[in-house]
Amino acid sequence: MSTNTTLLREAFRPLARVFGDGMTADHTGSKFTCNEADEIALALYVTGHEDAAVTWLHGHADGEDWEDSHAHEYDQAKGDANRESPRTFDEDEIREYLLGQSGDYLKTLIAFAAA
């Protein structure tokens, strides 16, 4: 790990403590739009705070509606016809989602680390 990425990781540590706290995520996460929650989670994820990013998005996803980003699409075969709210992503699915969404952020971080 380069000095630049170590500094960046340390710079984001206070935010990781705040947004990665389960109570904060559960109480405030659903108040953010999906795009806002993603930006926070991706910033944490690419700076090495994966667990905090997952906790944050998990708290955000608890308030999802059917058409939101962190919920499974309606699937009658999985019993969704009997549900009032969607099945939200679990922690493994959130990690997979973050990995898929992080490409552009990681490219920027790699460029920063090389500087």
Side-chain angles (χ1 to χ4, degrees):
M1 188 177 290
S2 78
T3 302
N4 286 346
T5 56
T6 300
L7 290 172
L8 195 56
R9 179 179 169 82
E10 290 305 310
F12 273 79
R13 188 176 302 283
L15 292 174
R17 280 196 301 266
V18 171
F19 289 107
D21 178 75
M23 287 188 70
T24 300
D26 288 344
H27 291 281
T28 64
S30 64
K31 307 295 188 244
F32 286 75
T33 67
C34 290
N35 287 339
E36 293 166 341
D38 278 354
E39 293 294 334
I40 293 166
L42 287 166
L44 296 173
Y45 181 79
V46 301
T47 56
H49 301 284
E50 182 176 344
D51 289 341
V54 170
T55 298
W56 169 249
L57 272 190
H58 196 269
H60 164 76
D62 284 343
E64 294 293 78
D65 292 321
W66 288 105
E67 68 277 359
D68 288 337
S69 299
H70 310 106
H72 293 280
E73 291 186 22
Y74 181 86
D75 186 343
Q76 191 166 357
K78 294 200 176 190
D80 290 346
N82 299 322
R83 294 178 188 271
E84 292 182 19
S85 60
R87 294 171 291 113
T88 56
F89 290 176
D90 63 26
E91 287 188 13
D92 289 335
E93 291 168 325
I94 289 173
R95 287 179 198 283
E96 185 178 322
Y97 176 80
L98 286 168
L99 178 62
Q101 297 294 312
S102 66
D104 290 338
Y105 288 87
L106 288 173
K107 289 176 192 170
T108 302
L109 183 60
I110 289 166
F112 175 76

